[in-house]
Amino acid sequence: MNNLLNMNDPDYLLTTIFGESNQQAFVAISPGRVNLIGGHTDYNEGFVLPAAIGQYVNVAARPRTDKTVAAYSEEYDEIREFSLEDADPDAKGSWIDYVEGVCTQLAQDHALRGAEFVVRSDLPSGAGLSSSAALELAVAAAVDRMNDLECSNRTLARHCWRAENEFVGVNCGIMDQYAVALSAENSALFLDCRDEAVEHIPFPAETVNAVVINTTVTHELVESAYNERRAQCERGVALFDRCLDREVTSLRDISIDDFEAYQERLPAPVRERCEHVVYENRRVQRAVDALREGEIETVGDLMYDSHASLRDLYEVSCEELDVAVDVARTQDDVLGARMTGAGFGGSVIGLVRAQNSGDAVNAIRREFRSRTDVDPQVAVYSLVKGVQAN
Ligand code: GLA
């Protein structure tokens, strides 16, 4: 495991916070993710191509003899507790929701021991890098080890996705939890969000790096706009279901030809939302083919197209994300860039030639700052393996 260094003495860490215990301590390390392409397709049963990056949420964990779960977050410097026997079904609007959601979700299928957790993270929250999915999977993997559940990472991802939807109350698709759970080193994860099939697509890590431009900006609308987009896509599904003489259950059922044949019957902005999703699915497939053929420039071009579509048709971008993509595009060594995550702030993911990535990072930072007055966090990452626990 590569990022255990800062958690290399979980016993010490847990004892500092919770006192002595004779229980065995475990560590789970859980990466953030970027999405190379496939924006807002997951909840439309479409295709996505995320990858895990080397920034992590780590959890040190040890069991307790009672049914209490106590967790300490270094970031918030607070201890929160709940009981596995007498769980409060309501989310609190706090980081503990992710811990409680996952524990209560797993407790529905398994008898769990209480636990103590220390959460340490270098993955910023609100940056569109899935810090919540990373925390969920870290907790799930630690609970799995402490209780010898022997669940697969796929099963843990499912539990975490349910925790996020049913307990935390965020109506997200499956991409984030699957990316954090199932990614492989130096690969992107080609995920079919309909049948949940995954394929690891090798990424040319020696020559190309992933660059993340975290704008550090988050706008208010994220959640309401996300739910509104979902509803507009459902409206599109209902309209296509009426036009076509076959059953349409999601936008995945709509081909480009279907869209072109019937698009005039769709009202704005449902038409634009559907156009984005239908063509974005095609772009993901083309990006996968291009990666397989070693045509990384094509992947980059598709990323720019994806961003334009998210900006103009799906309308989930914002000024800072657009500036970040524009700034990236001015760099000769950047091959492509797009917003990653839900939108309205957060991060842009780009592909940059490895040999000149340092210069590109500095230039992007400088240029973004001069155009926005915001100091972005710009860094290059390798693509790493999904969650692990020892
Ligand atoms: C968020 C959600 C994901 C996905 C993306 C948009 O990250 O959690 O499920 O819908 O937005 O692609």
Side-chain angles (χ1 to χ4, degrees):
M1 287 197 237
N2 36 1
N3 197 39
L4 275 181
L5 284 181
N6 57 1
M7 293 288 269
N8 61 357
D9 195 354
D11 266 321
Y12 173 78
L13 211 54
L14 286 155
T15 301
T16 311
I17 304 295
F18 297 109
E20 296 288 341
S21 158
N22 55 10
Q23 301 287 331
Q24 186 188 349
F26 298 87
V27 175
I29 68 168
S30 189
R33 68 100 191 86
V34 290
N35 185 17
L36 297 178
I37 195 159
H40 290 267
T41 46
D42 63 346
Y43 53 81
N44 288 300
E45 297 193 343
F47 300 111
V48 290
L49 190 65
I53 56 166
Q55 259 192 311
Y56 296 89
V57 175
N58 289 1
V59 157
R62 71 185 177 199
R64 286 169 59 123
T65 49
D66 62 9
K67 289 281 187 180
T68 298
V69 175
Y72 172 74
S73 157
E74 288 191 339
E75 185 182 347
Y76 296 94
D77 189 21
E78 64 171 356
I79 296 178
R80 302 285 292 249
E81 284 191 6
F82 58 90
S83 163
L84 287 170
E85 279 168 338
D86 173 26
D88 173 358
D90 295 326
K92 325 280 176 307
S94 140
W95 63 274
I96 196 67
D97 291 343
Y98 301 104
V99 182
E100 190 167 349
V102 168
C103 290
T104 50
Q105 180 62 43
L106 284 164
Q108 287 177 18
D109 289 0
H110 306 277
L112 300 185
R113 309 160 80 184
E116 287 162 344
F117 296 108
V118 175
V119 182
R120 172 176 290 181
S121 172
D122 67 357
L123 183 63
S125 50
L129 302 175
S130 282
S131 62
S132 30
L135 174 55
E136 288 160 3
L137 263 307
V139 170
V143 169
D144 178 80
R145 290 291 293 117
M146 282 187 290
N147 295 280
D148 289 323
L149 305 183
E150 297 191 351
C151 294
S152 66
N153 276 14
R154 178 182 282 274
T155 300
L156 295 180
R158 264 266 128 212
H159 280 295
C160 291
W161 174 78
R162 292 186 66 151
E164 178 111 19
N165 277 256
E166 291 167 18
F167 188 88
V168 182
V170 175
N171 203 12
C172 63
I174 64 169
M175 172 174 71
D176 302 344
Q177 288 77 17
Y178 278 62
V180 171
L182 300 177
S183 287
E185 198 175 353
N186 290 335
S187 311
L189 186 79
F190 181 31
L191 168 62
D192 179 337
C193 300
R194 170 162 268 181
D195 65 10
E196 301 181 12
V198 301
E199 210 179 321
H200 295 115
I201 312 292
F203 185 83
E206 322 75 53
T207 51
V208 179
N209 291 146
V211 58
V212 173
I213 309 169
N214 175 4
T215 65
T216 71
V217 174
T218 331
H219 296 291
E220 291 284 305
L221 333 70
V222 188
E223 204 175 324
S224 60
Y226 190 86
N227 292 334
E228 185 186 58
R229 297 301 179 282
R230 288 192 70 138
Q232 289 162 340
C233 291
E234 279 162 25
R235 177 116 180 78
V237 170
L239 291 168
F240 276 112
D241 191 49
R242 242 179 275 156
C243 298
L244 294 169
D245 57 6
R246 57 169 207 271
E247 198 190 3
V248 177
T249 58
S250 76
L251 288 181
R252 172 63 176 279
D253 294 322
I254 304 304
S255 67
I256 288 176
D257 286 348
D258 293 332
F259 174 79
E260 294 300 340
Y262 293 100
Q263 53 145 321
E264 281 174 9
R265 300 200 199 172
L266 305 176
V270 173
R271 197 201 80 85
E272 286 72 15
R273 310 300 189 236
C274 294
E275 180 175 354
H276 165 74
V277 173
V278 167
Y279 281 88
E280 184 78 350
N281 277 329
R282 185 74 198 109
R283 279 189 286 271
V284 178
Q285 292 171 303
R286 289 177 57 200
V288 169
D289 290 344
L291 262 183
R292 286 200 179 108
E293 300 295 321
E295 293 163 3
I296 193 75
E297 280 88 358
T298 305
V299 180
D301 292 341
L302 290 162
M303 290 170 78
Y304 284 132
D305 293 347
S306 168
H307 185 78
S309 180
L310 287 159
R311 180 190 63 209
D312 301 336
L313 297 174
Y314 217 68
E315 297 182 283
V316 288
S317 189
C318 63
E319 199 189 331
E320 293 84 356
L321 289 170
D322 295 342
V323 169
V325 171
D326 282 352
V327 164
R329 198 194 288 267
T330 60
Q331 296 302 307
D332 288 346
D333 290 305
V334 173
L335 305 169
R338 63 181 286 280
M339 52 163 273
T340 188
F344 299 104
S347 300
V348 158
I349 166 74
L351 300 181
V352 60
R353 284 186 220 284
Q355 62 192 26
N356 296 326
S357 61
D359 292 346
V361 162
N362 291 334
I364 290 170
R365 190 181 294 139
R366 228 179 13 248
E367 187 64 17
F368 186 88
R369 205 187 295 140
S370 84
R371 284 181 56 179
T372 61
D373 270 344
V374 175
D375 206 6
Q377 290 166 1
V378 189
V380 160
Y381 294 101
S382 48
L383 305 186
V384 302
K385 191 172 164 41
V387 67
Q388 302 171 77
N390 69 351

